[in-house]
Amino acid sequence: MAQSASVGQAIGGYIFAILQTCIRFVFRLIYGQKGESVPPITDAILLEPATSLARKIRSQELSSVQVLESFIRRIKEVNPILNCVVDERYDQALKEAAEADALVKSGQYNAEELEKQKPFLGVPITTKDCISVKGMLHTAGLFERRDVRAARDADAMALMRKAGAIPIALTNVSEVCMWWESNNTVHGRTRNAYDTNRIVGGSSGGEGCIQSAAASACGLGSDIGGSIRMPAFFNGIFGHKPSKLVVSNVGQFPAPFSAEQNSFLGLGPMSRFAEDLRPMLKIMAGEKAALLNLDENVDLTKMKFFYQESDGGGRLVSAVDPDLREAMNRVAQHLREKFGNQKVERIQLPHFRQSAAIWFANMRDDSGHGFAYQLGNLNHDINTYLELFKWFFGASKHTFIGLSTAIMDSAQCKHGSPKYDHLVRKRNELRAELQSLLGDNGVLIYPTHPTVAPYHNEPITRPINFAYTGIVNVLGFPATAVPLGKLGSEGLPLGVQIIANFNQDRLCLAVAEELERAFGGWAKPEVRL
C-alpha cells in the first residue's frame, strides 16, 4: 500500500513538473522580453548603508536634509515605473530632518553620545502599508480600509523613530498581507526593478522593491509565511525574520487571532546591506534585545554549517531551479574552503516535505475566524463565493487571489481535529530535530524559494511554493534572506535563507555578513538600452 502511494506521488510530481513547464512557456509568450528599466543610480548617497549614513550625519559629513532629499528624488524617479510607494510624508519628514541637523550642530551631544542614544538619527526609513505610522494610510491593501489612517505608530516603528529614524513613505502589500504577490484593489500592482514583468513578492513586496531600487535607506517588514524573506529574495536584498516573540507585533494589521499565531508573526528589518540588520533588530526588539546577545562576537570558525538543497519533493511545490541549486553549492563550497570540510554538512530532513500542510494546520486556531473574516476588515466574514461571482463581472472590490485564498483556507483541517493534532506533532518533531541539530553554534542554509521571481499572476499556478519560508514561521526560528550578488541566468537575484535556533539571530546575521563579503550581496538593477 505504501509503495503504491509512493508511486502515485512520483507520477503526480512528474505531471505537476510538466504542467509547470508548460505554464512557464505560456507566461514567457505573454510577457516576452524584460519590461521597462529603472533609471541608473547616479547619486552616491543612495549607495550608502543606513548605518554609514547615520555616522556621516552625526559627524556632519552629510546633513539629514541632504540625505532625505536624495531618497525622495529617487522615489519620484522610480515609483511611476515600479508602483512601490502608496503614501508619503515628505514635507513633515524634511522638517524632522532639519531638526535632526539642528540637534547635531547644537553640540548638546557629541558623536559618541548620539550614536548611543539615537543611532539612526536623521536616516530615512520606509515600511509597508500594514505597519502603522501615525497619520499615514493603514489599509493593508483592503478596499474597505482605503481611507483609514493610523492613530499611532506601531511599536517597532516607534522604537526606530526614538532612535532617530525618519519615516518618509509607505509601501505596497498584497490584500490583507496574505499572498506572495503585492497587488490589491486600493493601490494596484508593484513591479520588480530587475524586470517589471516579474513579481516583487508579498506581503512586504513594495518594501523589498523600494530597497532594491535604492529609493530607501532601510525598512521594516512583517513575516508570517515568508513575507519579509520572499520579497527580500525576489528583490535581491537582505531581510530578517526574528526569533518568535522578540519584536512586538502591536500596530500590524491584520492582527493575529491567537497567541500562537502571534508567535508565528515577526516584524523585522530589510536593507540592501547586511550591516544594517543587526543594529535595526537591536532597536526593534527593545528590552527583549537582551535575549539575543547581538553585541556578542560570533566566531565563524567555531560554527557548524548545514545545508539542504530542497524540501525533498513537497506535494505541488516546484522543483528548485538549477540556478538556485548551483548558488547553494557555491555557498557550501565557499564555507568549506574557508572553514574546513568538517564544518559543512549536506543534510535532508524529510519533515520539510510536509511544510505546507504543517503551516496550514498550525495557522488554525479556536477563534472560529479565518481569511474570510480578515477580508471583512475583522468585522464580519465576507461571502467569498458571492464575491468571486462578482469578481468575474468586475464588480468585486477584492482580488481574485484573495478570494481564492479564503476558499482554500476554509477547506483546511479544523483546529482540534485528528489531522490538526497530527500535523502539530509533525511540527514539534521537526522543531526538536532542528534544535538538536543546530544547538547554539549551528545554522541551516536552505532555499528561500524554489524559483526566482515569477511573472505577474504566475504564483496562482504554484501557490504552495511559499512553504519554503512558511515552515520557519510555525517553528519559531530566526531566518535571514541573503542575496548572492551575481544575478542568475534570467537576470534576476539569487539567494538563500539562513536559519538558526531560538534567539540565535546573531548567527544568522553573522553568516549573512560573511556571504555578503564573499558574493557581493545586493546587485544594482541592470539598465537595459
Side-chain angles (χ1 to χ4, degrees), residues 263-490:
S263 75
F264 302 156
L265 175 65
L267 271 67
M270 301 176 73
S271 175
R272 284 169 288 142
F273 303 100
E275 70 180 72
D276 292 334
L277 301 183
R278 190 188 307 255
M280 289 180 70
L281 178 59
K282 186 177 179 181
I283 292 164
M284 295 170 65
E287 294 180 356
K288 291 188 177 180
L291 298 171
L292 305 182
N293 298 313
L294 292 171
D295 293 328
E296 183 178 308
N297 181 58
V298 176
D299 186 348
L300 293 172
T301 65
K302 295 181 179 178
M303 284 185 60
K304 300 176 294 183
F305 304 94
F306 302 95
Y307 71 102
Q308 181 164 327
E309 294 177 351
S310 75
D311 65 357
R315 187 167 175 262
L316 299 181
V317 177
S318 299
V320 175
D321 281 354
D323 271 2
L324 295 173
R325 282 186 178 272
E326 183 185 343
M328 174 76 73
N329 287 314
R330 286 203 307 271
V331 168
Q333 185 60 29
H334 165 74
L335 296 173
R336 287 192 185 100
E337 291 173 357
K338 187 160 185 178
F339 303 112
N341 284 331
Q342 71 279 8
K343 297 283 188 178
V344 183
E345 181 181 346
R346 183 179 182 273
I347 62 171
Q348 190 67 47
L349 302 182
H351 279 320
F352 275 116
R353 287 186 64 186
Q354 294 183 276
S355 292
I358 292 171
W359 185 87
F360 278 113
N362 281 272
M363 284 292 289
R364 311 308 290 179
D365 65 85
D366 58 2
S367 68
H369 298 312
F371 192 55
Y373 189 70
Q374 292 179 333
L375 291 175
N377 197 25
L378 302 185
N379 291 322
H380 59 92
D381 284 330
I382 67 164
N383 185 326
T384 49
Y385 292 99
L386 175 60
E387 288 295 329
L388 189 59
F389 177 78
K390 289 165 60 179
W391 182 88
F392 282 106
F393 295 95
S396 178
K397 298 301 184 182
H398 297 286
T399 59
F400 173 79
I401 195 59
L403 298 171
S404 301
T405 303
I407 291 169
M408 186 166 63
D409 174 67
S410 66
Q412 300 303 313
C413 66
K414 303 301 180 186
H415 182 272
S417 68
K419 184 177 181 181
Y420 168 86
D421 291 337
H422 169 74
L423 290 167
V424 169
R425 284 195 300 272
K426 290 290 184 183
R427 177 202 66 185
N428 293 340
E429 289 168 7
L430 178 57
R431 179 186 283 164
E433 188 174 17
L434 279 167
Q435 282 186 278
S436 175
L437 180 75
L438 300 177
D440 61 2
N441 69 334
V443 294
L444 172 62
I445 304 164
Y446 192 58
T448 321
H449 201 77
T451 74
V452 294
Y455 291 103
H456 295 301
N457 293 315
E458 194 178 5
I460 294 171
T461 70
R462 47 183 75 186
I464 309 301
N465 282 0
F466 81 95
Y468 273 85
T469 48
I471 187 63
V472 184
N473 294 82
V474 297
L475 294 173
F477 296 133
T480 307
V482 179
L484 295 174
K486 182 181 176 183
L487 303 179
S489 59
E490 297 183 59

Side-chain angles (χ1 to χ4, degrees), residues 232-246:
F233 167 65
F234 293 143
N235 294 282
I237 67 162
F238 294 87
H240 181 72
K241 183 204 83 70
S243 293
K244 65 176 184 177
L245 302 175
V246 167

Side-chain angles (χ1 to χ4, degrees), residues 99-216:
E99 291 169 3
D101 290 333
L103 179 61
V104 172
K105 292 176 181 176
S106 71
Q108 184 178 350
Y109 304 101
N110 61 36
E112 291 76 18
E113 291 169 332
L114 283 174
E115 182 178 11
K116 185 176 181 180
Q117 295 186 31
K118 291 185 177 294
F120 282 87
L121 181 65
V123 175
I125 189 171
T126 48
T127 192
K128 60 196 288 193
D129 178 20
C130 72
I131 296 174
S132 59
V133 180
K134 186 177 180 180
M136 300 193 77
L137 287 175
H138 196 211
T139 76
L142 187 63
F143 188 81
E144 188 175 339
R145 295 177 60 85
R146 63 195 180 279
D147 297 321
V148 172
R149 291 190 174 272
R152 51 156 290 181
D153 289 334
D155 286 356
M157 179 56 79
L159 288 168
M160 287 301 298
R161 292 184 79 161
K162 185 178 179 182
I166 300 174
I168 58 171
L170 278 186
T171 53
N172 204 19
V173 296
S174 51
E175 188 175 20
V176 290
C177 302
M178 287 298 285
W179 183 240
W180 49 282
E181 177 170 10
S182 292
N183 178 39
N184 57 70
T185 59
V186 183
H187 305 301
R189 188 187 310 276
T190 301
R191 294 173 283 277
N192 194 303
Y194 295 90
D195 180 353
T196 54
N197 291 329
R198 307 286 186 133
I199 73 168
V200 294
S203 60
S204 308
E207 195 56 42
C209 178
I210 196 174
Q211 299 296 329
S212 73
S216 174

